[in-house]
PDB file of all heavy atoms in Angstrom:
ATOM      1  N   VAL L 306      20.745  45.880   8.401  1.00 83.00           N
ATOM      2  CA  VAL L 306      19.819  45.098   7.519  1.00 83.00           C
ATOM      3  C   VAL L 306      18.789  44.276   8.469  1.00 83.00           C
ATOM      4  O   VAL L 306      19.152  43.777   9.476  1.00 83.00           O
ATOM      5  CB  VAL L 306      20.493  44.141   6.572  1.00 83.00           C
ATOM      6  CG1 VAL L 306      21.383  43.110   7.241  1.00 83.00           C
ATOM      7  CG2 VAL L 306      19.473  43.433   5.616  1.00 83.00           C
ATOM      8  N   SER L 307      17.492  44.416   8.208  1.00 86.00           N
ATOM      9  CA  SER L 307      16.507  43.794   8.979  1.00 86.00           C
ATOM     10  C   SER L 307      15.859  42.785   8.023  1.00 86.00           C
ATOM     11  O   SER L 307      15.686  42.916   6.888  1.00 86.00           O
ATOM     12  CB  SER L 307      15.439  44.665   9.446  1.00 86.00           C
ATOM     13  OG  SER L 307      16.032  45.722  10.390  1.00 86.00           O
ATOM     14  N   PHE L 308      15.419  41.681   8.725  1.00 88.00           N
ATOM     15  CA  PHE L 308      14.752  40.611   7.989  1.00 88.00           C
ATOM     16  C   PHE L 308      13.836  39.833   8.905  1.00 88.00           C
ATOM     17  O   PHE L 308      14.009  39.796  10.106  1.00 88.00           O
ATOM     18  CB  PHE L 308      15.686  39.651   7.193  1.00 88.00           C
ATOM     19  CG  PHE L 308      16.759  39.027   8.035  1.00 88.00           C
ATOM     20  CD1 PHE L 308      16.551  37.804   8.713  1.00 88.00           C
ATOM     21  CD2 PHE L 308      17.843  39.647   8.239  1.00 88.00           C
ATOM     22  CE1 PHE L 308      17.477  37.267   9.431  1.00 88.00           C
ATOM     23  CE2 PHE L 308      19.036  39.167   9.027  1.00 88.00           C
ATOM     24  CZ  PHE L 308      18.713  37.968   9.738  1.00 88.00           C
ATOM     25  N   SER L 309      12.731  39.332   8.348  1.00 89.00           N
ATOM     26  CA  SER L 309      11.835  38.590   9.212  1.00 89.00           C
ATOM     27  C   SER L 309      11.870  37.077   8.979  1.00 89.00           C
ATOM     28  O   SER L 309      12.112  36.621   7.843  1.00 89.00           O
ATOM     29  CB  SER L 309      10.306  39.081   8.833  1.00 89.00           C
ATOM     30  OG  SER L 309      10.022  38.609   7.513  1.00 89.00           O
ATOM     31  N   ILE L 310      11.826  36.294  10.016  1.00 89.00           N
ATOM     32  CA  ILE L 310      11.823  34.877   9.960  1.00 89.00           C
ATOM     33  C   ILE L 310      10.691  34.257  10.852  1.00 89.00           C
ATOM     34  O   ILE L 310      10.115  34.987  11.616  1.00 89.00           O
ATOM     35  CB  ILE L 310      13.140  34.333  10.473  1.00 89.00           C
ATOM     36  CG1 ILE L 310      13.458  34.770  11.894  1.00 89.00           C
ATOM     37  CG2 ILE L 310      14.358  34.675   9.590  1.00 89.00           C
ATOM     38  CD1 ILE L 310      14.651  33.999  12.521  1.00 89.00           C
ATOM     39  N   ASP L 311      10.407  33.037  10.609  1.00 87.00           N
ATOM     40  CA  ASP L 311       9.384  32.377  11.458  1.00 87.00           C
ATOM     41  C   ASP L 311       9.928  32.052  12.747  1.00 87.00           C
ATOM     42  O   ASP L 311      11.050  31.870  12.975  1.00 87.00           O
ATOM     43  CB  ASP L 311       8.971  30.997  10.792  1.00 87.00           C
ATOM     44  CG  ASP L 311       7.979  31.176   9.676  1.00 87.00           C
ATOM     45  OD1 ASP L 311       7.458  32.377   9.453  1.00 87.00           O
ATOM     46  OD2 ASP L 311       7.761  30.167   8.924  1.00 87.00           O
ATOM     47  N   LYS L 312       8.934  32.000  13.849  1.00 88.00           N
ATOM     48  CA  LYS L 312       9.306  31.831  15.145  1.00 88.00           C
ATOM     49  C   LYS L 312      10.156  30.546  15.329  1.00 88.00           C
ATOM     50  O   LYS L 312      11.089  30.445  16.069  1.00 88.00           O
ATOM     51  CB  LYS L 312       8.071  31.651  16.043  1.00 88.00           C
ATOM     52  CG  LYS L 312       8.273  31.765  17.495  1.00 88.00           C
ATOM     53  CD  LYS L 312       6.975  31.501  18.157  1.00 88.00           C
ATOM     54  CE  LYS L 312       7.096  31.509  19.664  1.00 88.00           C
ATOM     55  NZ  LYS L 312       5.803  31.097  20.308  1.00 88.00           N
ATOM     56  N   GLU L 313       9.770  29.377  14.562  1.00 86.00           N
ATOM     57  CA  GLU L 313      10.598  28.169  14.736  1.00 86.00           C
ATOM     58  C   GLU L 313      11.876  28.161  14.351  1.00 86.00           C
ATOM     59  O   GLU L 313      12.768  27.314  14.697  1.00 86.00           O
ATOM     60  CB  GLU L 313       9.785  27.029  14.184  1.00 86.00           C
ATOM     61  CG  GLU L 313       9.264  27.220  12.786  1.00 86.00           C
ATOM     62  CD  GLU L 313       7.822  27.539  12.619  1.00 86.00           C
ATOM     63  OE1 GLU L 313       7.428  28.313  13.439  1.00 86.00           O
ATOM     64  OE2 GLU L 313       7.246  26.950  11.796  1.00 86.00           O
ATOM     65  N   ASP L 314      12.195  29.119  13.448  1.00 89.00           N
ATOM     66  CA  ASP L 314      13.681  29.194  13.051  1.00 89.00           C
ATOM     67  C   ASP L 314      14.508  30.069  13.854  1.00 89.00           C
ATOM     68  O   ASP L 314      15.663  30.262  13.637  1.00 89.00           O
ATOM     69  CB  ASP L 314      13.682  29.810  11.578  1.00 89.00           C
ATOM     70  CG  ASP L 314      13.108  28.727  10.491  1.00 89.00           C
ATOM     71  OD1 ASP L 314      13.197  27.455  10.787  1.00 89.00           O
ATOM     72  OD2 ASP L 314      12.745  29.150   9.417  1.00 89.00           O
ATOM     73  N   PHE L 315      13.872  30.741  14.876  1.00 91.00           N
ATOM     74  CA  PHE L 315      14.544  31.827  15.512  1.00 91.00           C
ATOM     75  C   PHE L 315      15.795  31.256  16.264  1.00 91.00           C
ATOM     76  O   PHE L 315      17.022  31.797  16.049  1.00 91.00           O
ATOM     77  CB  PHE L 315      13.596  32.357  16.583  1.00 91.00           C
ATOM     78  CG  PHE L 315      14.193  33.535  17.496  1.00 91.00           C
ATOM     79  CD1 PHE L 315      14.846  34.545  16.810  1.00 91.00           C
ATOM     80  CD2 PHE L 315      14.092  33.550  18.809  1.00 91.00           C
ATOM     81  CE1 PHE L 315      15.443  35.611  17.646  1.00 91.00           C
ATOM     82  CE2 PHE L 315      14.670  34.510  19.488  1.00 91.00           C
ATOM     83  CZ  PHE L 315      15.325  35.588  19.003  1.00 91.00           C
ATOM     84  N   ALA L 316      15.763  30.170  17.053  1.00 90.00           N
ATOM     85  CA  ALA L 316      16.947  29.704  17.759  1.00 90.00           C
ATOM     86  C   ALA L 316      18.078  29.198  16.811  1.00 90.00           C
ATOM     87  O   ALA L 316      19.168  29.719  17.045  1.00 90.00           O
ATOM     88  CB  ALA L 316      16.515  28.507  18.627  1.00 90.00           C
ATOM     89  N   ASP L 317      17.623  28.677  15.767  1.00 90.00           N
ATOM     90  CA  ASP L 317      18.676  28.342  14.715  1.00 90.00           C
ATOM     91  C   ASP L 317      19.375  29.470  14.179  1.00 90.00           C
ATOM     92  O   ASP L 317      20.492  29.555  13.966  1.00 90.00           O
ATOM     93  CB  ASP L 317      18.004  27.427  13.629  1.00 90.00           C
ATOM     94  CG  ASP L 317      17.790  26.041  14.048  1.00 90.00           C
ATOM     95  OD1 ASP L 317      18.365  25.602  15.076  1.00 90.00           O
ATOM     96  OD2 ASP L 317      17.041  25.277  13.240  1.00 90.00           O
ATOM     97  N   ALA L 318      18.513  30.540  13.682  1.00 91.00           N
ATOM     98  CA  ALA L 318      19.088  31.668  13.219  1.00 91.00           C
ATOM     99  C   ALA L 318      20.161  32.375  14.099  1.00 91.00           C
ATOM    100  O   ALA L 318      21.225  32.711  13.585  1.00 91.00           O
ATOM    101  CB  ALA L 318      17.962  32.638  12.840  1.00 91.00           C
TER     102      ALA L 318
END
Side-chain angles (χ1 to χ4, degrees):
Chain L
V306 59
S307 294
F308 51 91
S309 68
I310 57 169
D311 279 349
K312 195 184 175 188
E313 52 258 43
D314 286 336
F315 183 47
D317 280 347

